[in-house]
């Protein structure tokens, strides 16, 4: 029957193209798991390929028996059904065979797992905190830290500008770690659950609020390694990539020294006398990085989930409540408590900015909030 | 004492006229039909959402929808396909076929049956209505992990919780009915180990449902308390544990995935023996395999949570227990192949779908085995590799099982043969598009594309465009299925009672006329 021939031809064509695509995938790492750069990631890749090939072999055996039977015992060729069913020893045989294959898979899997799982302290320990929708990195030994935000522009996302090579895989400040050093990551979440993933290190660990998970790596070569957030965390889930720069020890030391100096400089800034223009300028850039995802660049928000700031009574006439919201957040909403995350200067400048920007400056009281006001607020709360 | 005089003439019982036939029906076939049409409509609604998702993902950048709406689409697509398509379709098939397969006139609890169905449109009406509310519908994924689904959820989450409760009640009532029917209404001589495999698969599924739906109800109730009454089950700031949510959810969720596949095992077993003209190889091991899968499903839940931060011993335990499931699943596949071996095989549409089921479900099984390997799962977890895996077991798995069952029993239901040419066309278009859609997802996943992303990096662009084309083709093809079903209801070659050559010996349903009488078996048949 021509129909049947067509059926088998198609079945053969499709299965062989699967195998072809699979082989292609094996060679071209764009379509397979990255081998990565660490010892653990390489072992995981080898394990992945081992299990994959075992599955391919089992698949070929089972499918060839099946398709051969379909071809050989087709009714159109006059096949008459045999009258048998059940065979105890055959049933026992394939059950035992399946079990043995699984044991063969379980042994290397357990070995790699034991090696990947190791929560001993690192030479460097970094606290990784997932925020909606950015990562914060804190170097625990040196007590310095910073946020890492997506640096791809909104124009690229909306298609108003050509997309760059590292579209959605670039950040303003990557995490920097030294090579040939055991680095332990302590991973937690600030609001919802995020998940910190760097494929080249084979590190993926959920960032759960209230809990600290650990992961570790030891990178043998300098380079830039890109990853992503892999636990659904809200509207900007796809827009909080991970970028890690592994560098020589000297470069790392210089990086930390620079960060320490910056923290010192920030402290000095609090006591400086600020003009409205200085605050506005700083506030505008802070707003663009940290606030516009929800409240939008034009201050109109996405009501009712993310309220508008333009024309808001709080932004117009209620300075005390405005400071309080920035410092403590709003319970039961996505508005986080920024008080402990950013400096007094940043908080003061963004409050000032939102009280002046758009039409708020004309319609509101136009109060300027200075870093000193924030310090006063903190002192008042401490009492 | 008074006696009740029967004035009712049972001989002329038939369906009521008009809308009330469907609203008040207690007939297993009418309710089965309602379930099947409901699930068919939901397939197009949930499928429409998938089309929105694929249209947005056709190329990088945000073109069609914003991330907020995209998240509502992925969430509702998942919820509708799981609770609104696969589960009701299986219940519909059970309603139609169980009484006919065990030689009963109807289900044991007909009024309860009516209630179980009519709860469903209410539940989904509530769920879908949230999409039109100002804050939008649920947007936290079909797995609704806290605290994204509690503290950070839109207020419409309360409607979602209510809707899940109603779905749960419907499933539990349906399961009670199925278990009662199977235990009490079998024809004389039909011992448990003589029951058709579809009946067995549903008996096991019904127990799974009764065991886990209350767990789902519990977890959404805890959410409700956290959101509205100030408790802190899942709120770390109040001493709760967000991970507790995942443990409770997946304790429901993993048996749930077997709820969505076991009845398909039953259907496919019948079809393969019918068109191989040879009894199923290893009937009893098929039953034991299904029972083992069901029991194991209670001790593997945390393999969905390998990256959540578990002790090493926990990770290894859940890896081993998950790998164990490959044994009974493998036994089933081997048995299907052994049934075809030395048969006399013909390739009608239900058989084509069943063969594709065996092949593609096995591929889904392989990726499942890969996902069980914890260290490798660190790389696969929450990427498109997982999306590929569960779509392989749910679309060419569960859905193909349902479609195969529909073609297999459609002539029995309607009394008309469906159009075989169109059926085969439907099969080939579906088979090709399903693979074009879901096979490349393995590759984008391995290459590092996380799931639930409305926008992605440039290196995933080619495969995503291909996936979208496949998805549109798959979606359109199902309109052909709708046409075939309607055509077979209205017209077609008259079907004989046994419908398929030699099927008369295979089950009691083939001894009834096509279409069968309104009260299937008014006289109990004797099973030898």
């Amino acid at each position: 029957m021509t129909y049947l021939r067509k059926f088998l031809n198609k079945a053969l064509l499709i299965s062989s193209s699967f195998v072809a695509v699979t082989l292609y995938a094996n060679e071209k790492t764009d379509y397979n798991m990255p081998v990565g750069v660490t010892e653990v990631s390489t072992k995981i890749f080898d394990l992945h390929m081992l299990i994959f090939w075992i599955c391919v072999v089992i698949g070929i055996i089972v499918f060839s028996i099946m398709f051969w039977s379909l071809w050989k015992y087709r009714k159109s060729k006059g096949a008459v059904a045999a009258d048998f069913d059940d065979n105890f020893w055959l049933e026992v045989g394939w059950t035992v065979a399946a079990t043995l294959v699984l044991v063969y898979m379980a042994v290397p899997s357990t070995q790699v797992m034991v090696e990947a799982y190791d929560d001993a302290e690192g030479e460097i320990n970094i606290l990784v905190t997932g925020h909606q929708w950015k990562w914060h990195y804190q170097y625990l030994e040196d007590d310095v830290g910073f946020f890492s935000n997506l640096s791809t522009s909104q124009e690229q996302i909306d298609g108003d500008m050509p997309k760059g090579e590292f579209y959605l895989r670039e950040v303003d400040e990557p995490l920097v770690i030294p090579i040939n050093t055991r680095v332990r990551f302590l991973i937690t979440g600030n609001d919802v659950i995020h998940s910190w993933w760097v494929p080249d290190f084979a590190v993926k660990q959920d960032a759960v609020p209230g809990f600290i998970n650990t992961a570790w790596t030891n990178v043998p070569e300098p380079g830039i390694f890109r990853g992503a957030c892999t636990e659904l965390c809200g509207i900007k889930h796809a827009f909080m990539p991970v970028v890690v720069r592994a560098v020589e020890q000297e470069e790392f030391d210089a990086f930390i020294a620079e960060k320490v100096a910056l923290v010192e400089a920030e402290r000095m800034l609090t006591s400086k006398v600020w003009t409205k223009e200085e605050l506005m300028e700083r506030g505008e850039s802070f707003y663009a990085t940290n606030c516009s995802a929800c409240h939008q660049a034009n201050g109109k928000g996405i009501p009712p989930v993310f309220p508008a700031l333009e024309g808001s009574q709080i932004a117009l006439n209620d300075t005390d409540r405005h400071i309080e919201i920035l410092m403590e957040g709003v319970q039961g909403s996505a508005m986080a408590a920024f008080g402990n995350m950013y400096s007094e200067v940043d908080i003061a400048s963004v409050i000032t900015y939102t009280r002046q920007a758009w039409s708020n400056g004309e319609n509101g009281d136009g109060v300027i909030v200075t870093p000193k006001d924030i310090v006063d607020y903190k002192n008042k709360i401490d009492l | 004492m008074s006696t009740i005089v029967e004035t009712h003439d049972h001989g002329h019982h038939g369906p009521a006229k008009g809308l009330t036939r469907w609203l008040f029906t207690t007939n297993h076939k009418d309710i089965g039909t309602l379930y099947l049409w409901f699930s068919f409509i939901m397939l197009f609604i949930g499928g429409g959402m998938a089309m929105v998702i694929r249209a947005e993902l056709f190329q990088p950048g945000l073109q069609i929808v914003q991330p907020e709406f995209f998240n509502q689409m992925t969430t509702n697509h998942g919820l509708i396909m799981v609770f609104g398509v696969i589960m009701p379709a299986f219940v519909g098939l059970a309603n139609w076929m169980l009484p006919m397969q065990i030689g009963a006139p109807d289900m044991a609890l007909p009024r309860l049956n009516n209630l179980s169905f009519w709860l469903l449109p209410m539940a989904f009406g509530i769920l879908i209505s949230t999409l039109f509310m100002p804050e939008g519908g649920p947007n936290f994924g079909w797995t609704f992990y806290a605290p994204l689904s509690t503290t950070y959820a839109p207020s419409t989450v309360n409607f979602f919780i209510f809707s899940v409760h109603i779905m749960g009640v419907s499933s539990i009532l349906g399961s009670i009915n199925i278990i009662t029917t199977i235990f009490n209404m079998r024809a004389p001589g039909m011992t448990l180990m003589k029951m058709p495999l579809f009946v067995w698969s549903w008996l096991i599924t019904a127990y799974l449902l009764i065991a886990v739906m209350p767990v789902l109800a519990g977890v959404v109730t805890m959410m409700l308390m956290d959101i509205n009454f100030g408790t802190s089950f899942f709120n770390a700031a109040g001493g709760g544990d967000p991970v507790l949510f995942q443990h409770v959810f997946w304790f429901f969720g993993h048996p749930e995935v077997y709820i969505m596949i076991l009845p398909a095992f039953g259907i496919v077993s019948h079809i393969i023996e019918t068109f191989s003209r040879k009894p199923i190889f290893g009937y009893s091991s098929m039953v034991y395999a299904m029972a083992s899968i069901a029991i194991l499903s209670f001790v593997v839940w945390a393999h969905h949570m390998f990256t959540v931060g578990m002790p090493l011993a926990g990770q290894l335990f859940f890896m081993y227990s998950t790998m164990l499931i490959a044994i009974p699943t493998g036994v089933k596949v081997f048995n299907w192949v052994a049934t075809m071996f030395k048969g006399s095989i013909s390739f009608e549409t239900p058989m084509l779908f069943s063969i594709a089921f065996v092949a593609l479900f096995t591929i889904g099984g392989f990726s499942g085995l890969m996902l069980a390997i914890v260290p490798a799962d660190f790389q696969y977890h929450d990427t498109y590799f997982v999306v590929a895996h569960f779509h392989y077991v749910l679309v060419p798995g569960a859905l193909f099982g349902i479609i195969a069952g529909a073609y297999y029993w459609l002539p029995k239901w309607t009394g008309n043969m469906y159009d075989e040419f169109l059926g085969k066309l439907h099969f080939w278009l579906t088979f090709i598009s399903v693979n074009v859609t879901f096979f490349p997802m393995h590759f984008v996943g391995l290459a590092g594309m996380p799931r639930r992303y409305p926008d992605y990096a440039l290196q995933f662009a080619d495969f995503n465009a291909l996936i979208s084309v496949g998805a549109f083709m798959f979606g359109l093809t199902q309109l052909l299925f709708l046409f075939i079903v309607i055509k077979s209801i209205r017209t077609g070659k008259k079907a004989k009672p046994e419908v398929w050559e030699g099927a008369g010996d295979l089950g009691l349903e083939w001894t009834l006329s096509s279409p069968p009488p309104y009260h299937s078996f008014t006289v109990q048949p004797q099973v030898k």
Side-chain angles (χ1 to χ4, degrees):
Chain A
M1 201 172 121
T2 52
Y3 168 70
L4 203 68
R5 202 164 305 133
K6 262 191 261 167
F7 163 66
L8 278 163
N9 282 343
K10 269 183 198 162
L12 271 176
L13 187 75
I14 287 162
S15 50
S16 56
S17 64
F18 275 3
V19 174
V21 173
T22 313
L23 291 174
Y24 172 70
N26 193 18
E27 282 183 9
K28 196 157 178 212
T29 50
D30 266 7
Y31 303 127
N32 196 358
M33 182 192 283
V35 182
V37 290
T38 65
E39 213 183 309
V40 169
S41 77
T42 314
K43 284 186 176 164
I44 286 180
F45 175 82
D46 292 339
L47 182 65
H48 154 72
M49 290 316 291
L50 171 76
I51 307 288
F52 170 74
W53 285 116
I54 292 175
C55 289
V56 169
V57 170
I58 299 172
I60 288 175
I61 295 170
V62 173
F63 293 152
S64 31
I65 296 175
M66 183 169 100
F67 284 105
W68 175 81
S69 300
L70 290 175
W71 173 251
K72 177 98 196 280
Y73 302 111
R74 60 195 195 275
K75 184 170 174 269
S76 59
K77 214 191 74 183
V80 180
D83 186 25
F84 68 85
D85 62 273
D86 219 348
N87 179 319
F88 178 75
W89 288 111
L90 184 59
E91 298 270 6
V92 171
W94 63 39
T95 309
V96 171
T99 313
L100 291 178
V101 172
L102 290 173
V103 171
Y104 182 72
M105 290 172 158
V107 172
S109 307
T110 307
Q111 284 165 346
V112 176
M113 185 56 212
V114 170
E115 193 174 329
Y117 188 95
D118 179 356
D119 57 0
E121 203 159 317
E123 294 165 64
I124 289 179
N125 296 279
I126 299 171
L127 179 67
V128 177
T129 311
H131 291 257
Q132 279 182 326
W133 292 277
K134 59 200 163 213
W135 293 100
H136 185 268
Y137 302 114
Q138 184 81 20
Y139 294 81
L140 295 178
E141 280 77 18
D142 303 291
D143 202 25
V144 291
F146 54 89
F147 279 99
S148 180
N149 295 285
L150 176 74
S151 59
T152 305
S153 68
Q154 192 63 38
E155 287 77 21
Q156 286 190 38
I157 295 168
D158 293 335
D160 300 333
M161 238 175 83
K163 297 178 180 23
E165 185 187 355
F166 296 112
Y167 178 69
L168 300 186
R169 307 179 80 208
E170 53 198 351
V171 295
D172 52 359
E173 268 206 84
L175 174 67
V176 179
I177 57 170
I179 57 169
N180 294 319
T181 307
R182 183 185 160 88
V183 182
R184 182 171 66 154
F185 304 106
L186 301 159
I187 300 169
T188 187
N190 180 64
D191 30 54
V192 299
I193 302 177
H194 304 264
S195 190
W196 196 75
W197 183 30
V198 181
D200 284 320
F201 306 163
V203 167
K204 183 185 284 156
Q205 197 58 250
D206 288 1
V208 184
F211 292 80
I212 293 177
N213 283 325
T214 60
W216 69 277
T217 195
N218 192 338
V219 184
E221 57 190 74
I224 294 177
F225 306 101
R226 295 169 198 276
C229 175
T230 54
E231 184 59 63
L232 178 61
C233 56
I235 58 170
K236 296 265 172 177
H237 171 46
F239 306 93
M240 50 180 292
V242 174
V243 180
V244 181
R245 205 154 62 83
V247 297
E248 303 280 354
Q249 185 67 44
E250 300 78 58
E251 199 182 337
F252 178 74
D253 292 339
F255 168 81
I256 290 293
E258 187 193 326
K259 283 288 167 199
V260 172
L262 240 139
V263 171
E264 201 47 46
E266 197 79 2
R267 258 180 222 132
M268 301 295 288
L269 284 178
T270 309
S271 49
K272 164 179 166 342
V273 179
W274 286 78
T275 66
K276 179 179 162 187
E277 284 67 32
E278 285 169 330
L279 285 171
M280 282 291 287
E281 193 189 333
R282 197 180 168 98
E284 185 169 6
S285 79
F286 183 92
Y287 184 86
T289 331
N290 298 292
C291 316
S292 63
C294 303
H295 295 295
Q296 304 294 299
N298 59 14
K300 295 193 193 308
I302 310 175
V305 188
F306 304 120
L309 299 184
E310 186 183 27
S312 137
Q313 276 312 309
I314 296 166
L316 293 178
N317 301 315
D318 193 348
T319 321
D320 292 344
R321 176 70 188 138
H322 200 165
I323 295 175
E324 192 181 44
I325 287 180
L326 264 288
M327 298 300 288
E328 316 297 341
V330 178
Q331 264 292 315
S333 83
M335 183 68 196
F338 283 86
N340 298 321
M341 294 189 223
Y342 295 98
S343 69
E344 288 93 7
V345 178
D346 283 333
I347 304 278
S349 62
V350 77
I351 295 177
T352 305
Y353 172 72
T354 48
R355 297 186 81 78
Q356 309 294 330
W358 318 300
S359 60
N360 283 2
E362 297 148 35
N363 300 332
D365 55 17
V367 168
I368 292 161
V369 175
T370 63
K372 188 175 172 302
D373 295 328
I374 306 299
V375 175
D376 291 347
Y377 175 87
K378 281 186 177 171
N379 290 338
K380 194 176 76 192
I381 295 299
D382 282 345
L383 289 173
Chain B
M1 272 180 79
S2 63
T3 38
I4 295 161
V5 182
E6 278 283 354
T7 51
H8 216 81
D9 181 4
H10 280 279
H12 293 94
H13 246 167
K17 296 272 172 280
L19 191 63
T20 53
R21 165 175 178 185
W22 302 107
L23 277 178
F24 304 136
T25 182
T26 53
N27 180 279
H28 75 99
K29 298 192 195 72
D30 285 352
I31 294 172
T33 305
L34 284 170
Y35 264 112
L36 289 170
W37 276 116
F38 174 78
S39 130
F40 213 167
I41 293 165
M42 284 293 148
L43 178 70
F44 285 106
I45 296 177
M49 292 173 177
M51 297 299 108
V52 173
I53 294 168
R54 285 321 317 176
E56 177 53 52
L57 291 175
F58 184 69
Q59 51 170 280
L62 295 176
Q63 287 88 19
I64 298 174
V65 294
Q66 287 300 307
E68 169 63 21
F69 189 68
F70 182 91
N71 287 348
Q72 293 177 35
M73 288 293 101
T74 52
T75 305
N76 287 280
H77 166 73
L79 290 168
I80 287 175
M81 289 302 189
V82 167
F83 295 103
V85 177
I86 303 293
M87 293 172 70
F90 281 138
V91 182
L93 292 170
N95 256 296
W96 255 102
M97 300 318 300
L98 291 189
M100 283 160 60
Q101 287 194 321
I102 63 173
D106 204 311
M107 297 292 279
L109 308 162
R111 287 195 179 86
L112 194 74
N113 206 6
N114 175 291
L115 178 65
S116 335
F117 171 76
W118 281 109
L119 284 173
L120 276 187
M122 311 302 158
F124 282 89
I126 291 170
L127 180 66
I128 292 172
S129 72
T130 59
L131 290 173
F132 302 97
M133 296 179 187
E135 284 190 39
N139 56 8
F140 28 67
W142 88 272
T143 52
F144 52 101
Y145 281 8
L148 188 63
S149 63
T150 53
T151 318
Y152 294 86
S155 60
T156 53
V157 65
N158 294 308
F159 288 94
F160 156 83
I161 291 171
F162 190 40
S163 147
V164 169
H165 269 133
I166 301 174
M167 291 172 206
V169 172
S170 161
S171 290
I172 292 171
L173 297 183
S175 305
I176 291 172
N177 204 351
I178 284 168
I179 293 174
T180 316
T181 306
I182 295 176
F183 278 138
N184 293 291
M185 299 183 64
R186 295 197 310 280
M190 183 178 278
T191 58
L192 283 178
M193 289 311 275
K194 278 188 186 169
M195 290 195 314
L197 283 171
F198 181 61
V199 180
W200 255 117
S201 70
W202 246 112
L203 181 62
I204 295 167
T205 304
Y207 271 108
L208 285 180
L209 276 167
I210 289 188
V212 301
M213 290 316 276
V215 179
L216 176 67
V219 79
V220 293
T221 307
M222 287 193 251
M223 282 170 62
L224 189 76
M225 303 292 279
D226 270 12
I227 295 166
N228 299 296
F229 305 110
T231 59
S232 294
F233 290 107
F234 309 130
N235 179 4
D241 180 352
V243 178
L244 172 68
F245 173 90
Q246 298 181 27
H247 282 293
V248 183
F249 177 83
W250 285 114
F251 189 81
F252 146 79
H254 202 79
E256 167 71 17
V257 308
Y258 294 129
I259 287 165
M260 291 191 285
I261 199 67
L262 286 176
F265 287 170
I267 296 167
V268 164
S269 302
H270 288 308
I271 295 174
I272 290 178
E273 63 177 350
T274 303
F275 297 99
S276 301
R277 292 168 182 77
K278 187 164 154 281
I280 197 85
F281 187 86
Y283 168 89
S284 46
S285 63
M286 286 301 234
V287 173
Y288 298 142
M290 282 194 284
S292 326
I293 291 173
I295 291 164
L296 282 174
S297 75
F298 287 102
V299 293
V300 298
W301 77 88
H303 69 209
H304 297 271
M305 308 161 50
F306 279 148
T307 64
V308 87
M310 258 189 289
L312 181 62
Q315 311 247 26
L316 291 175
F317 170 80
F318 285 105
M319 173 170 81
Y320 300 145
S321 61
T322 305
M323 291 172 80
L324 276 182
I325 290 191
I327 299 172
T329 315
V331 165
K332 296 203 73 79
V333 173
F334 299 150
N335 268 296
W336 286 320
V337 174
T339 306
M340 296 177 202
F341 180 74
K342 291 206 169 177
S344 168
I345 303 165
S346 59
F347 299 93
E348 284 83 353
T349 311
M351 183 61 168
L352 291 177
F353 273 103
S354 300
I355 294 167
F357 171 94
V358 175
L360 301 183
F361 177 77
T362 305
I363 291 178
F366 286 145
S367 56
L369 188 55
M370 295 172 77
L371 283 160
I373 308 293
V374 193
D377 182 73
F378 290 157
Q379 297 286 50
Y380 308 137
H381 184 86
D382 263 330
T383 68
Y384 262 78
F385 191 79
V386 177
V387 180
H389 160 71
F390 68 71
H391 279 96
Y392 257 86
V393 290
L394 283 176
V395 182
L399 188 63
F400 273 24
I402 291 163
I403 296 176
Y407 277 114
Y408 182 56
W409 285 313
L410 202 55
K412 171 60 59 188
W413 301 337
T414 64
N416 301 323
M417 297 303 289
Y418 60 87
D419 187 323
E420 191 64 58
F421 170 79
L422 288 181
K424 281 175 176 154
L425 182 69
H426 173 222
F427 168 74
W428 284 111
L429 289 173
T430 303
F431 179 79
I432 293 166
S433 57
V434 94
N435 285 300
V436 173
T437 308
F438 299 119
F439 208 78
M441 285 186 183
H442 291 110
F443 299 125
V444 274
L446 289 175
M449 178 162 161
R451 66 193 281 208
R452 293 164 168 166
Y453 265 31
D455 194 2
Y456 50 85
L458 301 178
Q459 77 261 37
F460 308 124
D462 295 349
F463 269 137
N464 268 290
L466 180 66
I467 291 168
S468 290
V469 170
F472 298 143
M473 191 173 145
F474 181 83
L476 280 177
T477 305
Q478 302 324 306
L479 293 171
L480 179 61
F481 183 41
L482 179 65
F483 175 76
I484 296 169
V485 170
I486 292 175
K487 191 173 170 217
S488 132
I489 292 171
R490 299 168 66 97
T491 165
K493 208 175 95 210
K494 292 287 159 242
K496 293 194 293 280
E498 69 163 22
V499 182
W500 310 109
E501 184 193 39
D505 308 330
L506 285 175
L508 292 173
E509 76 259 42
W510 307 111
T511 62
L512 291 171
S513 60
S514 305
Y518 198 58
H519 297 290
S520 306
F521 283 97
T522 41
V523 179
Q524 279 193 318
Q526 185 73 35
V527 176
K528 286 181 283 298

